[in-house]
Structures are given as structure tokens and as C-alpha cells.
Amino acid sequence: MKTAVSSAKNTSLSLAFTDFKEITKARLAISVVFSSVAGYLLAPVQPDLLSLVLLAFGGYCMVGASNAYNQVIEKDLDALMNRTRNRPIPAGRMSVNKAMSIAILMTLLGVVSLYYLNAQTAMFGAISIFLYTSVYTPLKTKTPLAVFVGAFPGAIPFMLGWVAATNDFGIEPGTLFMIQFFWQFPHFWALGWMLDEDYKKGGFKMLPTGKKDRGTALQIIMYTIWMIVISVIPAFGITGRLFLSIPAAVLIFLMGMVMLIFAFRLYEKRDNASARKLMLASVSYITLMQIVYVVDKFIS
């Protein structure tokens, strides 16, 4: 009997943890934490373990809270789409009140953790939650410009680490912000291309022209080019204390060109398979680019 009860409790805890990961979008949140930590390590300060822990914890809480709020707001629309209908709220595994409690608690924990680092970091974290939930989320069913608005909170994590380390917002974190800002357009438009039919079930307008056409593909190409340009600008010595060596810049440029090739293939073929390859290439690019930046700082 005890074994059966213990097993049931373990199963219940496992399911609750799984739902928590889904309501906070754990994989996305972890990728955001990775960007924040990379930005922190790029700053011209001696890394501090406690600060890194607070940044990672606070960053996860802020992203997790944003995602939880988002799923509360979009619960009825999520139930209409194949990719989201099994989320905790539309599937009936989690109540709206519980999801809101998680979101509010994580907001408070996130703001306090980031405020412990400095007020600017907490402010940018709070701004990202506000923009994501109060502006980006309601705009998704009204205009394709939602992606533009959503790119602002999405671009904050990389620069947030620098601000957390230095308590300063200048050209350096601004450059990190712009890199991730421009990256988001090819990434999310490729994702929107793949899921366009499903998104339309929920009434979401994710593609810039509203269609999977050459116009959308051309905009993806243009934003990818801008992303590459901004990514290598620190090699020219005009971004303050943010430096990039010539070999590192060449490597990042080549990685960007690979992503650009996938963008041109999407323009040529205009199919979901090409969009998926571009989306995966974009994920690889942002991760490897940040690693190159950090490694270059410590070996240069």
C-alpha cells in the first residue's frame, strides 16, 4: 500500500513539474538565460558567481512569468491550434487561477532577484514582461507588426547580462540588443511560415505580408543581412568596451552567410521544409555567435 501511495505521489509530482515546464516554456526560458549569461560574461568585470546565479534565476522567472501570462490570455485560442491545445490550461490540467499565481509569484521573484543586482536590470526585466504580455500578445491577432513589437522584449536578454554586470546602459549593451533584435525576424518568420496554417486557426497574424510568399521571404533575407552586419560591427572598434577580434568576426560572418543561404533557399522554394531549415539554422547561429563572442573575449 505504501509503495502504491508513494508511486502515485511521485507520478503526481512528475506531472506537476512537466506542466510547470510547459506553462513557463522551459526550453525557451533556458535559451534566454543562456543569452543573459553570455551578455554578463562579455562585460569588462570580474565574473561573480552569486551575480550569475541571481541573473539566471531572475531571468528564468521573468521569461517564465511572461509565458504563463501569455498562456492565460490565449487559453481559448490555444485550444484551437494543434501545437498548443495540449498546453496545461486548454487541456484542463491547470486552472487559470493556478497559472496566474505562478505568473505573479515568478514576476515578484524575478524582479527582486534582478533588483538585487541593480535597479536598471530589474527595470528592463519588468519592461520585457509588460511589452510581451500587454502589447505583443494582444497584437498577435490584429497585425503582423506584433512580431516587430515582440522583438523588443525578445532582444533584451543579451543586453540584460551586460547591464547586470556593469549597472550601465550604453553603446555596448545597445549593440547586443540590436544583434538579437534583428535575429528575431528571420527566426520567427521562419517559424511562422512553418506553422502558418495552425496559427490561422487561432487568428494569429505572424507573417509580414500575411502570406507565405516572396514578399515575406524577401524581408527575411533583408533582416538576416542586417543581423550579420550588426553582429560584426564590434570588430571595427566603434562599440566602446565591446570588442571582437578579426578572426572571430570572420567566423561569425561565415555563420551568418550560412543562415543567409537558407534564407535564399526559402525565397526560391517557398516551402515548409526550407522554412524549417532556416529556423534551425537561426537557432544554431544565435547560440554559436554568443559562444564565439564570449570565447573571443577571454582568449583575445
Side-chain angles (χ1 to χ4, degrees):
M1 177 65 76
K2 288 184 179 180
T3 302
V5 171
S6 177
S7 177
K9 286 183 179 179
N10 290 336
T11 301
S12 178
L13 287 173
S14 177
L15 290 173
F17 182 64
T18 298
D19 283 342
F20 175 79
K21 289 193 298 181
E22 289 190 31
I23 202 73
T24 60
K25 292 186 181 177
R27 285 190 295 180
L28 172 62
I30 290 171
S31 71
V32 168
V33 169
F34 181 88
S35 293
S36 299
V37 170
Y40 180 94
L41 294 175
L42 287 174
V45 299
Q46 185 67 30
D48 174 70
L49 181 58
L50 177 59
S51 296
L52 279 170
V53 170
L54 288 169
L55 176 63
F57 178 75
Y60 188 100
C61 285
M62 302 301 263
V63 179
S66 297
N67 290 323
Y69 287 128
N70 173 267
Q71 291 182 51
V72 169
I73 296 168
E74 295 181 347
K75 63 184 186 304
D76 295 329
L77 300 179
D78 281 348
L80 302 175
M81 297 183 290
N82 295 333
R83 63 183 289 268
T84 55
R85 62 179 48 166
N86 196 43
R87 283 178 174 173
I89 299 175
R93 298 191 307 274
M94 183 180 292
S95 68
V96 169
N97 287 341
K98 184 175 181 180
M100 278 298 294
S101 297
I102 291 173
I104 293 170
L105 177 61
M106 294 190 77
T107 300
L108 294 174
L109 290 174
V111 169
V112 171
S113 298
L114 297 181
Y115 187 82
Y116 187 86
L117 294 169
N118 57 66
Q120 283 198 79
T121 305
M123 178 190 70
F124 281 120
I127 288 173
S128 71
I129 290 182
F130 173 78
L131 289 176
Y132 190 87
T133 59
S134 301
V135 186
Y136 166 68
T137 295
L139 280 179
K140 286 163 67 178
T141 57
K142 294 178 173 58
T143 172
L145 287 174
V147 174
F148 176 79
V149 174
F152 283 89
I156 286 176
F158 200 17
M159 56 146 275
L160 192 70
W162 184 289
V163 176
T166 64
N167 194 23
D168 178 58
F169 181 81
I171 190 170
E172 303 92 346
T175 302
L176 299 180
F177 176 91
M178 293 304 294
I179 293 171
Q180 198 150 355
F181 179 81
F182 282 106
W183 167 82
Q184 287 180 90
F185 293 95
H187 173 73
F188 282 107
W189 282 336
L191 184 64
W193 189 297
M194 290 166 48
L195 301 172
D196 185 53
E197 290 77 13
D198 208 26
Y199 274 133
K200 284 179 178 176
K201 294 177 184 177
F204 294 128
K205 305 175 188 290
M206 303 302 289
L207 297 179
T209 67
K211 302 176 182 178
K212 295 157 60 168
D213 58 10
R214 287 187 182 274
T216 289
L218 181 61
Q219 291 197 49
I220 288 173
I221 290 171
M222 296 305 298
Y223 277 94
T224 302
I225 291 172
W226 276 111
M227 177 202 74
I228 296 170
V229 171
I230 300 297
S231 294
V232 300
I233 276 183
F236 294 91
I238 58 174
T239 53
R241 294 169 293 173
L242 179 64
F243 299 104
L244 191 66
S245 69
I246 297 301
V250 170
L251 180 57
I252 289 172
F253 175 79
L254 292 175
M255 292 191 303
M257 291 304 295
V258 171
M259 186 171 158
L260 186 60
I261 289 171
F262 283 110
F264 273 107
R265 286 182 180 174
L266 178 61
Y267 180 83
E268 177 187 357
K269 297 184 177 181
R270 299 191 303 282
D271 59 4
N272 286 353
S274 299
R276 176 176 173 76
K277 289 176 182 177
L278 173 59
M279 188 273 293
L280 293 174
S282 69
V283 172
S284 298
Y285 176 83
I286 196 68
T287 304
L288 294 174
M289 178 274 297
Q290 290 170 346
I291 291 173
V292 169
Y293 259 84
V294 172
V295 171
D296 184 61
K297 177 205 170 182
F298 285 99
I299 67 175
S300 296

